[in-house]
Amino acid sequence: MSEKSDLPILIVKNLKVKLENEEIISNLSFELKKGEILTILGPNGAGKTTLLKALLSLIPFEGEIIWQKKIKIGYVPQRLPFIKDVPMSVEDFFKLKNSSKEKIEKIIEEIGLNKDFLNKKIGNLSSGQFQRILIAWALIDDPDVLLFDEPTSGIDVSGEETIYSLLEKINKERKLTIILITHDLSVVFKFSDYVICLNKNVICQGEPKEVLTSQNLEKLYDKEIKIYQHHKH
C-alpha cells in the first residue's frame, strides 16, 4: 500500500487556461500524492475557481491533467442557495443519492451531527450545518479526492474553525486527498502540505512554511500581509 501512495494521485503539466481570449492560468505544473492537502491561495479573480474547474475538466485547457486511474472525485461547491428554498428534509436530500438509511446515518455522524438532523428541513439549517451536510453529501460516494471552493464562505468564525477541523479529520481517517481554495492563511499553515499562490501567474508554490514569505504574499495580494504561523501538526 505504501508504494502506491507514493505515486502521484494527480499530475498537472504546463496547464494554461484561456477564457474569452484572456489567459487566466499560465504554465502551472504540480503533483499531488494520495492523502495530501493542497491549498490554492490568491485574491479574487486570480483564477482559483478556474483551476478547480479545469481539474474537473469542466472548461477547456491546454497542457496535461493526469488523474490516477479509477479515481473518484467529489466536489463541494461554495454554496447552493437554491437548495435552501426547496422544502425538503436532510434525509430527502440524501435520498437523491440512492444511499441506504444506514449509510446516511453513519455519514451524518462522521461529520459531527446527530441522526435527528435527518428530519430537519434544509432551509432551517445554519450556514455551518448546511456546509457540513454538503461535505457529507460529497463523502457518501466514497471519493478519493475532495475539491472545496472556499468551504467556509459565509460562515461565522467559530463555524469556520470546526469546518477546517472536520476536513483535517476526514483527511486523516479516510486518507482523503483534499484540494481547497481559502483566504485563511492560518489554515494553510495548519493543515496544508502544499500551497499554490495564484494571481493569473503562479507567484509561488511549495510547502507553506517555505514559500509563504512576506515578500511572496505581498506580490500575491499587492499589499503588505502580516504572517502568524500555526504549523501543521
Side-chain angles (χ1 to χ4, degrees), residues 92-229:
D92 294 335
F93 184 50
F94 278 98
K95 279 184 180 159
L96 298 173
K97 288 268 192 187
N98 297 324
S99 292
S100 67
K101 178 141 189 185
E102 191 183 16
K103 186 166 188 186
I104 296 169
E105 287 180 353
K106 195 162 168 269
I107 220 121
I108 286 288
E109 287 179 350
E110 187 181 347
I111 55 146
L113 298 175
N114 62 40
K115 289 186 287 197
D116 299 345
F117 269 86
L118 290 175
N119 304 318
K120 291 198 181 217
K121 290 274 182 278
I122 292 266
N124 294 339
L125 301 177
S126 72
S127 55
Q129 289 163 348
F130 185 55
Q131 189 61 28
R132 279 170 187 267
I133 294 298
L134 288 181
I135 293 169
W137 167 259
L139 286 176
I140 209 148
D141 296 324
D142 296 316
D144 303 286
V145 184
L146 261 192
L147 277 60
F148 291 92
D149 192 347
E150 296 197 34
T152 58
S153 174
I155 294 174
D156 62 40
V157 173
S158 60
E160 266 184 35
E161 192 61 41
T162 55
I163 292 288
Y164 285 119
S165 303
L166 173 62
L167 296 193
E168 188 180 33
K169 174 175 163 272
I170 55 181
N171 163 256
K172 287 199 171 85
E173 287 174 2
R174 289 180 173 241
K175 201 76 174 97
L176 192 68
T177 308
I178 292 175
I179 300 177
L180 73 108
I181 292 173
T182 182
H183 284 290
D184 191 334
L185 282 178
S186 66
V187 167
V188 187
F189 283 116
K190 216 167 171 181
F191 300 133
S192 299
D193 299 293
Y194 198 85
V195 62
I196 294 173
C197 302
L198 203 57
N199 195 349
K200 305 276 173 79
N201 296 310
V202 180
I203 305 291
C204 60
Q205 64 186 101
E207 283 186 38
K209 63 178 185 295
E210 288 173 11
V211 302
L212 290 183
T213 60
S214 301
Q215 292 92 321
N216 279 338
L217 288 168
E218 222 165 291
K219 254 190 243 169
L220 183 62
Y221 291 104
D222 294 330
K223 60 182 181 193
E224 199 180 327
I225 305 271
K226 296 272 187 289
I227 302 179
Y228 304 97
Q229 293 195 15

Side-chain angles (χ1 to χ4, degrees), residues 56-73:
L56 291 164
S57 297
L58 296 174
I59 52 174
F61 59 84
E62 289 173 41
E64 291 181 84
I65 294 176
I66 307 155
W67 289 99
Q68 221 180 73
K69 283 188 173 58
K70 295 185 179 162
I71 283 296
K72 284 172 92 175
I73 302 169

